[in-house]
């Protein structure tokens, strides 16, 4: 290769790296409102359930935080490797649980996913036009609804991971999780810088396995 050709090749390569390094990283936060409809046997736990959630996203990472009184649940996800870490914290105890792909599927409200039927109904949610879909659980056959928008692009988080991203970003959705009907609706979306530290795990958390957590008495 001649010096001139080598120089041209180097310029092209450097230009390619430059374009990659300057690629815009989508980041920001989402605020959700959460409503519940519980069976009579679980109604006494309604007081302990969070009524809101805050999600931070940056590139392929997301972290969702739900706070209720002195207890919090934080879920950190990284899409390329299917990484999912849950942090449970109260005034007395702190636990960290890592979920592999099989564990995540077991905890999903729709283990085999949903089938989707689009309607013609639209409405504006958090400033974005959304299309209504009827969702049918492939295992139970139960139906629910979700509203998706294609006006924005946001990495899925622990609340939206069960849904088909080709439909868009879910802005409002209802799921049935172990007999609990949970309706989640986006209240606000902000595109703004997010601190890297928010995706890290603080010290002081005791490790648990998903199985140990499932077998732990509710009182704990």
């Amino acid at each position: 290769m001649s010096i001139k050709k080598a120089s041209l090749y180097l310029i092209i390569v450097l230009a390619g790296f430059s374009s990659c390094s300057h690629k815009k990283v989508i980041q920001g936060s989402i605020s959700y409102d959460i409503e519940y409809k519980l069976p009579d046997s679980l109604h006494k736990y309604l007081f302990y359930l969070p009524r809101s959630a805050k999600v931070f996203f940056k590139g392929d990472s997301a972290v969702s935080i739900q706070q209720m009184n002195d207890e919090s649940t934080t879920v950190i996800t990284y899409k390329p490797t299917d990484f999912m870490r849950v942090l449970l914290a109260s005034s007395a105890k702190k636990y960290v649980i890592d979920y592999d792909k099989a564990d995540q599927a077991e905890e999903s409200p729709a283990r085999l996913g949903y089938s989707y039927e689009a309607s013609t109904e639209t409405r504006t949610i958090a400033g974005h036009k959304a299309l209504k879909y009827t969702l049918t659980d492939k295992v139970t056959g139960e139906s629910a609804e979700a509203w998706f928008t294609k006006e924005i692009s946001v990495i899925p988080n622990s609340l939206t991971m069960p849904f088909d991203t080709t439909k868009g970003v879910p802005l409002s959705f209802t799921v049935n999780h172990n007999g609990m009907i949970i309706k989640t609706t986006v209240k606000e979306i902000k595109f703004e810088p997010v601190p890297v530290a928010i995706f890290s795990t603080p010290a002081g958390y005791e490790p648990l396995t998903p199985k140990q957590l499932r077998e732990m008495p509710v009182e704990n």
Side-chain angles (χ1 to χ4, degrees):
M1 181 182 289
S2 68
I3 297 296
K4 184 177 289 187
K5 287 182 178 179
S7 299
L8 179 59
Y9 176 75
L10 181 59
I11 290 171
I12 293 172
V13 170
L14 290 176
F17 278 124
S18 177
S19 64
C20 290
S21 64
H22 288 87
K23 183 179 179 181
K24 184 178 180 181
V25 176
I26 298 175
Q27 57 184 314
S29 63
I30 308 174
S31 299
Y32 293 93
D33 286 330
I34 307 174
E35 303 173 48
Y36 304 89
K37 184 177 180 181
L38 306 184
D40 292 341
S41 61
L42 298 176
H43 201 267
K44 61 182 178 180
Y45 297 110
L46 187 60
F47 174 78
Y48 301 99
L49 297 174
R51 303 304 176 91
S52 63
K54 186 70 175 256
V55 168
F56 297 91
F57 56 89
K58 184 173 185 177
D60 290 321
S61 299
V63 54
S64 65
I65 303 170
Q66 298 183 43
Q67 183 84 36
M68 188 64 181
N69 300 320
D70 67 338
E71 300 183 350
S72 67
T73 300
T74 301
V75 185
I76 305 169
T77 57
Y78 181 63
K79 185 175 175 58
T81 60
D82 293 317
F83 174 83
M84 179 173 171
R85 171 168 290 172
V86 176
L87 307 177
L88 302 177
S90 69
S91 57
K93 301 176 181 178
K94 294 181 179 181
Y95 297 113
V96 54
I97 309 101
D98 286 343
Y99 288 79
D100 60 23
K101 199 167 184 178
D103 289 320
Q104 292 175 38
E106 187 170 342
E107 296 295 332
S108 174
R111 188 165 47 86
L112 297 182
Y114 300 98
S115 59
Y116 295 77
E117 183 178 349
S119 72
T120 58
E121 188 177 350
T122 63
R123 68 183 173 108
T124 300
I125 303 173
H128 300 282
K129 182 179 179 181
L131 176 66
K132 180 181 177 181
Y133 283 81
T134 298
L135 280 55
T136 303
D137 189 309
K138 291 182 178 180
V139 173
T140 65
E142 295 178 332
S143 295
E145 70 175 46
W147 299 76
F148 293 83
T149 183
K150 289 191 174 182
E151 292 185 347
I152 55 175
S153 178
V154 175
I155 194 74
N157 56 67
S158 61
L159 302 175
T160 61
M161 283 169 57
F163 304 112
D164 182 358
T165 57
T166 65
K167 310 301 180 188
V169 176
L171 297 182
S172 181
F173 45 91
T174 303
V175 298
N176 186 332
H177 191 50
N178 297 327
M180 296 191 299
I181 308 299
I182 307 171
K183 181 179 180 181
T184 306
T185 304
V186 172
K187 183 170 62 175
E188 183 180 44
I189 301 177
K190 293 182 178 180
F191 292 92
E192 58 187 4
V194 174
V196 175
I198 202 164
F199 301 101
S200 62
T201 302
Y205 280 77
E206 178 185 342
L208 282 181
T209 67
K211 183 175 184 293
Q212 287 173 325
L213 179 63
R214 287 192 294 267
E215 294 175 350
M216 186 176 290
V218 173
E219 288 75 19
N220 289 357

